[in-house]
Amino acid sequence: MARAAPSSPGDDPAARFERLYRACYTDLLGYALRRTDRPEAAADVVADVFLVAWRRIDDLPADQARPWLFGVARKVMANQHRADQRSADLAARLRQELTQVTTVEPEVPEEVGRAFRALPEADRELLRLVAWEGLTADELAIALDCTVNAARIRLHRARRRFAAALREPSLNR
């Protein structure tokens, strides 16, 4: 069990923080590891504790810095628990709502579907965004994070490959 090094009046905040970090990091990490289910969560707790400590370095009680940090760790974990609970509640609510949603894919002749499935996924996605989702070339550019000209070129090429796939003799059986 490490003890935080005492500070003196006029002590450099960065030096004080470094001493505090070196003296308390392992203890705080152990505390968080014993109370969380994942090592990454424990590391996040410790990082958040030291972020608070840095921001409030002048408010830290010089002779009680270590227990103060444990108090911060408790609050950080309580906040994380509340956030996790809100996230789980939201996910459950969304799952419930999504059970009531139905999607209808457009009905297409089998040979059109076969030609569409023969395209690379990138082409299929471009064509879906335009045909099913109704995106314009300008909107497609935003969705693809590219210029409008690049979106138009990609769309033109995808349409050309789709037309070629429709003409394939193997599809006309």
Side-chain angles (χ1 to χ4, degrees):
M1 178 181 336
R3 296 286 176 206
S7 64
S8 58
D11 204 3
D12 174 39
R16 182 174 181 213
F17 178 82
E18 186 173 343
R19 281 195 308 276
L20 187 65
Y21 182 86
R22 290 179 189 276
C24 298
Y25 173 82
T26 303
D27 293 344
L28 286 169
L29 181 59
Y31 173 84
L33 283 168
R34 287 185 290 276
R35 287 160 178 81
T36 57
D37 56 349
R38 296 181 342 273
E40 310 85 52
D44 288 345
V45 167
V46 175
D48 287 346
V49 168
F50 281 109
L51 179 63
V52 170
W54 175 250
R55 288 179 177 159
R56 298 195 51 205
I57 192 74
D58 293 330
D59 299 333
L60 266 106
D63 56 340
Q64 297 295 317
R66 185 172 180 273
W68 187 89
L69 290 173
F70 280 100
V72 172
R74 288 183 67 245
K75 291 174 186 164
V76 165
M77 285 192 292
N79 288 341
Q80 282 185 351
H81 177 71
R82 282 190 296 276
D84 291 347
Q85 189 60 51
R86 282 191 305 270
S87 180
D89 292 346
L90 176 61
R93 201 166 57 243
L94 287 173
R95 274 192 299 277
Q96 178 59 34
E97 288 177 16
L98 290 174
T99 61
Q100 300 168 8
V101 173
T102 58
T103 59
V104 179
E105 290 191 23
E107 290 186 33
V108 295
E110 179 55 33
E111 61 274 5
V112 173
R114 208 172 310 134
F116 187 75
R117 288 187 298 275
L119 295 173
E121 176 55 32
D123 285 353
R124 290 193 311 254
E125 181 61 11
L126 285 172
L127 295 171
R128 282 186 206 113
L129 285 169
V130 172
W132 293 1
E133 312 309 334
L135 268 58
T136 65
D138 291 352
E139 293 167 332
L140 186 61
I142 294 168
L144 299 176
D145 193 26
C146 65
T147 66
V148 174
N149 191 45
R152 285 187 176 129
I153 290 170
R154 290 181 193 178
L155 181 58
H156 171 74
R157 289 177 180 165
R159 285 176 172 158
R160 194 175 63 215
R161 284 189 284 269
F162 186 42
L166 284 169
R167 289 190 297 272
E168 284 291 319
S170 62
L171 293 175
N172 296 324
R173 289 188 239 166

